[in-house]
Amino acid sequence: MEKYVIRGGAKLSGEVVVSGAKNAVVAIIPATILSDEPCVIENIPNISDVTITLQIMQEMGAKIRMLNKTTVEIDPRSLMNMSIPYEKAKLMRATTYFLGTLLGRFHSAHVSMPGGCNLGDRPIDQHLKCFSALGAQCEIDGGMINLRADKLVGNQIFFDKNSVGATINGIMAAVKAEGLTVIENAAKEPHVVDLANCLNSMGADIIGAGTDVIKIRGVRELHGTTYSVIPDQIEAGTFMAAAAATRSNILIRNVIPKHLEPITNKLLKIGVQVEQYDDAVRVIGGDNYVGTTIKTQPHPGFPTDMQPQMSAVLTCAKGASMVTESIFDNRFRYVDELRRMGANISVEGRVAVIEGVERLKGAPVKSTDLRAGAALIVAALSAEGTSEIYDIFHVERGYENMEIKLRGLGADIRKINEPDPVSDPVVKKAI
Ligand code: EPU
């Protein structure tokens, strides 16, 4: 069982380089299934969600070759349409993307209902609505989602809910469908645009990605590509939060500052300085922050994936802050852990009220999901004394070498492997 041990209080300094975007690459790798030739994908992060996605591709028969640490060549020509079982699908949400891409290539797909972070109810009705509109029959049987179509024909699809996953799946299923598909109320997140750009570089005809309306004109074939994944906006935002919380001055490189604007604006509002360059941002923490109001929204609003990390910063801002989570039902599970460190937070439904305290104190805490783990790291770096963060496998799903990057900035963080007490025969007998 691995944990992070963090001695808080060290000022961060220097530079950190952000890796490729998790939520883009977990769509782009399955998208290569639609290609009739090998594809080279660059700037892939070394995180466990990528390892699992590549493993699934390999098990289905694709040829995977790492050209260097961040570049993979995928030859999907020998890939067979095998089902993705529960053991794999439970590990991550993005296994749903195999539905759209397998349907697009083979006109059939069999994928177990997905897992991923437990953030409350995460239905897939909009994904299925989209597949049906394109002509697929959808059936859920024994926990498997089964899709089948004689042919896929473009259609007009209006999403009742703004969904990243359904938009990406809709694009992938429509790319080789006959005629024109129009997706309305589409998600506008940078990773949706990145997926569309990647598919266009393979010969797809997608316009409007990044706006509410995406038009996809079906093509018969897609060719190979060499495509570089965008930098991870949430990893960058997490380092921005870490610099703010520790009152430090750091340069965060390999970012697209435009993607960070919702985060930058909130940091500026509470009293953090942010300088923007072409592909970097410098964050300069201040001595006194003031509380603020945050409401998570689809892009270009404040991202739900930064809500926990930003709340960690606000635990020591002067006065009260109000944080409203409007995307997921259950994204405050980290609050109990922050309370263990002395934070003063009350939660009522989807609203958290944070009363700033002078300083957090180190404590043993547990990551409850990926961004919750990131928030605990931010809190622990700024706290007085030592924290131990358990269940860090959540963090490793989405952050490449987090502790190495933080150590490079001067943080006192170590990753320690210790035996799981529950697997100890004496403890096992007692419980
Ligand atoms: N929703 C529906 N029906 C659907 C799909 C979604 O009601 O068919 C609802 C969800 O319950 C939620 C809202 O729509 O209330 C938005 O969900 P969305 O589909 O946009 O989320 P997702 O595709 O499951 C992706 C990211 C999440 C990120 C959200 C929101 C990936 C692999 N995951 O999830 O990332 O929080 O979009 O931006 O791209 C993370 O990285 O920590 C993470 C959880």
Side-chain angles (χ1 to χ4, degrees), residues 22-23 26 93-94 97 119 121-127 161-165 189 304-305 327-328 331 370-371:
K22 167 181 95 78
N23 289 343
V26 294
R93 187 83 194 156
Y97 294 148
L119 310 174
D121 197 20
R122 295 182 80 177
I124 55 159
D125 56 309
Q126 299 304 304
H127 302 235
K161 190 100 194 191
N162 192 280
S163 161
V164 170
E189 269 64 8
T304 174
D305 294 345
I327 309 292
F328 292 112
R331 209 164 197 176
L370 168 59
R371 308 302 172 188

Side-chain angles (χ1 to χ4, degrees), residues 22-35 39 41 44-45 49-58 62 64 66 72 74 76 79 97-98 101 172 195 198 202 229:
K22 167 181 95 78
N23 289 343
V25 75
V26 294
I28 286 173
I29 293 172
T32 62
I33 291 177
L34 293 161
S35 168
C39 297
I41 309 298
I44 61 164
D49 272 13
V50 166
T51 311
I52 294 164
T53 310
L54 289 173
Q55 251 173 26
I56 292 173
M57 296 280 290
Q58 201 158 28
I64 307 289
M66 290 305 295
V72 64
I74 303 171
L79 186 136
Y97 294 148
F98 285 98
T101 182
M172 297 214 277
L195 183 263
C198 177
M202 291 155 65
V229 176

Side-chain angles (χ1 to χ4, degrees), residues 22-304:
K22 167 181 95 78
N23 289 343
V25 75
V26 294
I28 286 173
I29 293 172
T32 62
I33 291 177
L34 293 161
S35 168
D36 300 301
E37 290 172 352
C39 297
V40 174
I41 309 298
E42 300 170 340
N43 199 31
I44 61 164
N46 182 7
I47 53 176
S48 61
D49 272 13
V50 166
T51 311
I52 294 164
T53 310
L54 289 173
Q55 251 173 26
I56 292 173
M57 296 280 290
Q58 201 158 28
E59 281 166 19
M60 290 197 296
K63 292 198 177 74
I64 307 289
R65 199 158 62 99
M66 290 305 295
L67 302 184
N68 61 46
K69 275 186 178 167
T70 56
T71 306
V72 64
E73 184 187 64
I74 303 171
D75 184 347
R77 287 174 296 189
S78 47
L79 186 136
M80 288 170 300
N81 183 14
M82 289 160 55
S83 60
I84 300 180
Y86 176 68
E87 294 71 53
K88 283 276 163 8
K90 72 177 182 190
L91 299 173
M92 53 184 279
R93 187 83 194 156
T95 47
T96 48
Y97 294 148
F98 285 98
L99 285 168
T101 182
L102 290 173
L103 182 67
R105 170 158 166 193
F106 295 107
H107 292 182
S108 86
H110 311 279
V111 178
S112 181
M113 294 287 275
C117 288
N118 177 1
L119 310 174
D121 197 20
R122 295 182 80 177
I124 55 159
D125 56 309
Q126 299 304 304
H127 302 235
L128 300 183
K129 173 179 173 173
C130 181
F131 300 142
S132 300
L134 296 173
Q137 286 172 2
C138 310
E139 172 204 64
I140 297 179
D141 187 15
M144 295 294 289
I145 305 158
N146 298 313
L147 307 177
R148 206 175 300 278
D150 291 334
K151 61 176 183 173
L152 296 169
V153 181
N155 204 342
Q156 183 108 2
I157 298 154
F158 182 88
F159 284 134
D160 310 310
K161 190 100 194 191
N162 192 280
S163 161
V164 170
T167 303
I168 287 179
N169 251 334
I171 293 173
M172 297 214 277
V175 152
K176 286 182 156 181
E178 276 175 25
L180 181 70
T181 299
V182 179
I183 299 178
E184 291 183 78
N185 192 22
K188 303 193 278 272
E189 269 64 8
H191 29 287
V192 173
V193 180
D194 206 34
L195 183 263
N197 287 343
C198 177
L199 284 168
N200 280 342
S201 76
M202 291 155 65
D205 183 356
I206 305 166
I207 57 171
T211 73
D212 294 320
V213 182
I214 301 178
K215 293 184 181 161
I216 306 138
R217 195 169 290 282
V219 295
R220 276 182 187 281
E221 288 169 1
L222 293 182
H223 52 74
T225 185
T226 296
Y227 189 82
S228 184
V229 176
I230 51 166
D232 196 304
Q233 133 215 40
I234 304 300
E235 186 194 356
T238 302
F239 283 115
M240 293 170 86
T246 54
R247 274 69 176 155
S248 303
N249 177 336
I250 65 170
L251 186 71
I252 304 167
R253 290 179 41 220
N254 188 34
V255 302
I256 299 174
K258 181 89 191 143
H259 293 170
L260 301 174
E261 269 172 11
I263 305 163
T264 301
N265 289 340
K266 280 295 162 193
L267 287 172
L268 290 172
K269 199 156 181 204
I270 69 167
V272 180
Q273 283 183 58
V274 182
E275 293 170 1
Q276 296 188 8
Y277 303 97
D278 285 350
D279 60 356
V281 288
R282 177 173 292 286
V283 180
I284 307 166
D287 287 330
N288 296 303
Y289 298 146
V290 285
T292 191
T293 311
I294 290 179
K295 185 171 184 187
T296 63
Q297 299 278 11
H299 191 78
F302 190 87
T304 174

Side-chain angles (χ1 to χ4, degrees), residues 307-309 311-312 323 331-339 345 352 354 366 368-369 371-373 375-376:
Q307 181 261 101
Q309 302 90 310
S311 295
V323 179
R331 209 164 197 176
F332 286 125
R333 295 195 313 146
Y334 64 89
V335 163
D336 273 342
E337 306 301 310
L338 286 183
R339 283 196 193 113
I345 310 178
I354 306 172
K366 185 176 77 172
T368 49
D369 60 65
R371 308 302 172 188
L376 296 176

